[in-house]
Amino acid sequence: MYLLHHDEVLRDYDIGLGFAPRGHKRFSGDGRTPEGTYIIDRRNPNSKYHLSIGVSYPNKYDDAFASTQGKSPGGDIFIHGRPPEYRDGRRDWTAGCIAVTDDEIEQIYAMVRDGTPITIRP
């Protein structure tokens, strides 16, 4: 993951994704991480994953697609740290979130403000 200021890379991070890391998140429980452009829309200083910042998934297009399939798009997508059971460095263990180390989420949490755009690409 790259943390940018305009076109300048300020920091880069190795990340963990959803347990089904290929393809755009479509439905609740599919284990995928959303792909596309969203915004950082909330923060949780009391997260069970150390700290977390929220991603605005689902958007109106995600909602509409899931609705046509008679399913829920899911939600509660965050960038967050790791709980004790995943501090061994295992990758792609989340239910659709983006995981970094606890030290890294502290940096990100301090640098990124609500309203910041985030683009998630395959």
Side-chain angles (χ1 to χ4, degrees):
M1 177 173 68
Y2 298 102
L3 189 61
L4 304 171
H5 179 71
H6 301 291
D7 292 333
E8 178 186 356
V9 176
L10 301 176
R11 298 250 164 71
D12 63 280
Y13 304 95
D14 288 330
I15 60 171
L17 299 172
F19 61 81
R22 297 199 188 272
H24 174 58
K25 181 167 194 59
R26 297 287 185 199
F27 311 114
S28 178
D30 67 8
R32 294 179 176 172
T33 301
E35 296 172 356
T37 298
Y38 298 91
I39 62 166
I40 300 302
D41 64 352
R42 62 201 182 282
R43 52 194 57 240
N44 182 359
N46 300 311
S47 171
K48 71 178 184 177
Y49 300 106
H50 190 55
L51 295 170
S52 61
I53 56 176
V55 176
S56 64
Y57 176 88
N59 62 29
K60 65 182 181 181
Y61 304 105
D62 300 316
D63 276 332
F65 178 79
S67 181
T68 66
Q69 305 300 304
K71 297 184 177 185
S72 166
D76 286 336
I77 301 298
F78 289 86
I79 301 170
H80 57 64
R82 293 174 173 263
E85 65 269 25
Y86 291 107
R87 290 198 179 126
D88 61 2
R90 192 174 344 167
R91 298 181 58 83
D92 302 337
W93 56 270
T94 77
C97 294
I98 299 168
V100 294
T101 68
D102 288 353
D103 287 342
E104 291 168 339
I105 192 59
E106 288 176 12
Q107 294 170 11
I108 296 164
Y109 195 93
M111 294 173 67
V112 174
R113 299 287 166 244
D114 290 358
T116 300
I118 177 173
T119 300
I120 305 167
R121 295 186 182 139

